[in-house]
């Protein structure tokens, strides 16, 4: 299918939405990719960055290799993600500091709607699908209850952290930033970026590259051979992650990781929340977040126009 400039603009906007989600700890850009209708194309495109692409580049030229890796799509998407992270990161962190209940309520409604969106694509709820859904939800919930590890800085550990974090980032329901926090690498990576420690950053990026290329192949295989079960497991992951973005939290621990202060918390009832629970605002923004999914679903059909 020949895409137009408008099609690529829409893809860029989806990238912006993914980037905005990725800067919120607990929300996965993979979820946004899934509900905006580009998830499988993204996985396929990443999967096509392989030795065959190099062979095509050598024998048939840059144009054919670019088409093989779906270069226009990837460029538009990555441009959107970069624009979002560079422009929205500070705003999102400010909103989380000043209006946490409102922000979390919006994302909570958005993720709840995404559960229905992904779940309705499951063609048959057989025993395997049900068991996969339940186990994935339990695993994701358990991950959200874990505490952060102490800071680690060895290069093999940084490499592993990069590989695991990027896998989480493209997996709907799991936040890559949250995985870094759990592994104790969050402060190390931020510190390396701030200090321009190119060796540490390079090892981390290498881990990211290896992780995403390997995991994309696994996901592609699963979608090809076990699509129904894979969709059920992804839906379970999204459901289990809701605990992390529940709007009302109580602080359980404050940790210093590098030069960053990390606040650990757990979910509580709005009626037990210490402070103004802002229930009406929370309900309103959750509804807006919920309805946003249906807008994204409508936008996703643009690529078929």
């Amino acid at each position: 299918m020949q895409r137009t400039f408008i099609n690529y603009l829409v893809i860029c906007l989806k990238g912006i939405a993914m980037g905005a989600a990725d800067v919120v700890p607990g929300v996965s850009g993979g979820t946004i990719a899934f509900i905006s209708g580009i998830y499988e194309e993204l996985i396929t495109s990443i999967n096509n960055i392989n030795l065959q692409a190099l062979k095509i580049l050598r024998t048939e030229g840059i144009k054919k290799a670019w088409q093989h890796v779906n270069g226009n799509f990837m460029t538009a998407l990555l441009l959107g993600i970069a624009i979002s992270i560079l422009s929205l990161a500070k705003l999102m962190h400010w909103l989380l500091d000043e209006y946490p209940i409102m922000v979390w309520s919006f994302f909570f409604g958005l993720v709840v709607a995404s559960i229905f969106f992904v779940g309705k694509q499951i063609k048959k709820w057989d025993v395997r699908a049900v068991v996969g859904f339940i186990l994935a939800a339990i695993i994701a919930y358990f991950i959200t209850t874990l505490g952060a590890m102490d800071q680690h800085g060895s290069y093999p550990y940084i490499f592993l952290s990069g590989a695991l974090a990027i896998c989480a980032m493209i997996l709907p329901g799991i936040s890559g930033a949250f995985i870094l926090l759990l592994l104790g690498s969050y402060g190390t990576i931020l510190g390396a970026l701030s200090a321009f420690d190119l060796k540490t950053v390079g090892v981390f990026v290498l881990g990211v590259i290896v992780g995403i290329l390997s995991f994309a192949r696994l996901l592609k295989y699963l979608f090809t051979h076990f699509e129904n079960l894979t969709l059920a497991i992804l839906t379970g992951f999204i459901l289990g992650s809701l605990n992390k973005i529940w709007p009302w939290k109580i602080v359980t621990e404050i940790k210093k990781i590098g030069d960053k202060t990390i606040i650990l918390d757990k979910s509580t009832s709005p009626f037990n929340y210490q402070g103004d629970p802002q229930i009406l605002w929370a309900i309103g923004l959750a509804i807006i977040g919920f309805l946003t999914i249906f807008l994204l679903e409508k936008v996703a059909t643009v690529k078929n126009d």
Side-chain angles (χ1 to χ4, degrees), residues 4-305:
T4 65
F5 174 78
I6 297 298
N7 295 137
Y8 287 116
L9 180 60
V10 170
I11 291 170
C12 185
L13 291 173
K14 293 175 181 180
I16 290 174
M18 287 179 64
D22 280 327
V23 299
V24 178
V27 182
S28 170
T31 302
I32 303 299
F34 209 110
I35 60 184
S36 61
I38 60 173
Y39 190 76
E40 289 195 52
E41 183 174 4
L42 172 61
I43 297 302
T44 299
S45 300
I46 296 172
N47 195 55
N48 284 342
I49 302 174
N50 51 24
L51 293 177
Q52 185 181 357
L54 292 176
K55 182 179 179 181
I56 293 173
L57 176 63
R58 189 177 68 253
T59 59
E60 301 183 49
I62 294 176
K63 184 177 179 180
K64 288 292 185 181
W66 186 258
Q67 292 173 347
H68 177 75
V69 300
N70 204 2
N72 290 342
F73 167 82
M74 291 296 290
T75 299
L77 188 67
L78 291 174
L79 178 62
I81 293 173
I83 290 172
S84 182
I85 291 176
L86 292 174
S87 62
L88 296 180
K90 289 186 177 179
L91 173 61
M92 290 302 300
H93 283 114
W94 179 79
L95 289 173
L96 283 169
D97 288 337
E98 299 295 326
Y99 306 101
I101 292 177
M102 295 183 185
V103 175
W104 289 125
S105 295
F106 172 79
F107 279 106
F108 190 86
L110 187 149
V111 174
V112 167
S114 72
I115 294 171
F116 290 101
F117 177 83
V118 179
K120 75 178 184 180
Q121 299 181 58
I122 300 172
K123 297 180 178 65
K124 182 181 179 182
W125 282 98
D126 54 19
V127 174
R128 289 197 307 172
V130 172
V131 171
F133 170 80
I134 294 173
L135 287 178
I138 292 173
I139 291 171
Y141 176 83
F142 175 72
I143 290 173
T144 67
T145 64
L146 296 175
M149 295 173 61
D150 292 331
Q151 188 170 345
H152 293 276
S154 69
Y155 289 129
Y157 197 84
I158 293 299
F159 177 89
L160 178 63
S161 297
L164 292 177
I166 194 62
C167 290
M169 195 170 290
I170 63 173
L171 186 66
I174 304 295
S175 163
F178 184 61
I179 293 298
L180 282 179
L181 179 60
L182 293 181
L183 293 172
S185 300
Y186 185 77
T188 302
I189 300 306
L190 288 181
L193 289 170
S194 300
F196 294 99
D197 181 353
L198 297 182
K199 190 172 183 179
T200 299
V201 172
V203 171
F204 178 76
V205 170
L206 184 60
V208 166
I209 293 172
V210 172
I212 196 169
L213 292 179
S214 303
F215 195 55
R217 280 157 178 71
L218 173 61
L219 284 175
K220 178 67 176 176
Y221 176 84
L222 292 174
F223 270 110
T224 301
H225 296 90
F226 308 99
E227 181 180 14
N228 205 64
L229 176 60
T230 302
L231 287 170
I233 290 173
L234 293 180
T235 306
F237 272 124
I238 299 173
L239 175 64
S241 73
L242 283 176
N243 178 59
K244 181 61 183 174
I245 55 175
W246 177 251
W248 296 278
K249 301 284 188 179
I250 56 174
V251 176
T252 57
E253 185 180 358
I254 299 177
K255 297 188 71 170
K256 192 76 173 178
I257 300 182
D259 61 349
K260 300 291 181 180
T261 299
I262 306 299
I263 298 175
L264 303 178
D265 49 33
K266 67 177 182 179
S267 301
T268 188
S269 163
F271 304 106
N272 293 331
Y273 181 75
Q274 297 178 350
D276 182 6
Q278 302 174 299
I279 294 177
L280 291 180
W281 275 107
I283 293 174
L285 285 164
I287 292 173
I288 292 173
F290 191 93
L291 294 176
T292 298
I293 296 304
F294 295 94
L295 175 62
L296 286 172
E297 185 177 5
K298 199 173 190 67
V299 170
T301 61
V302 170
K303 66 180 181 180
N304 296 320
D305 291 345

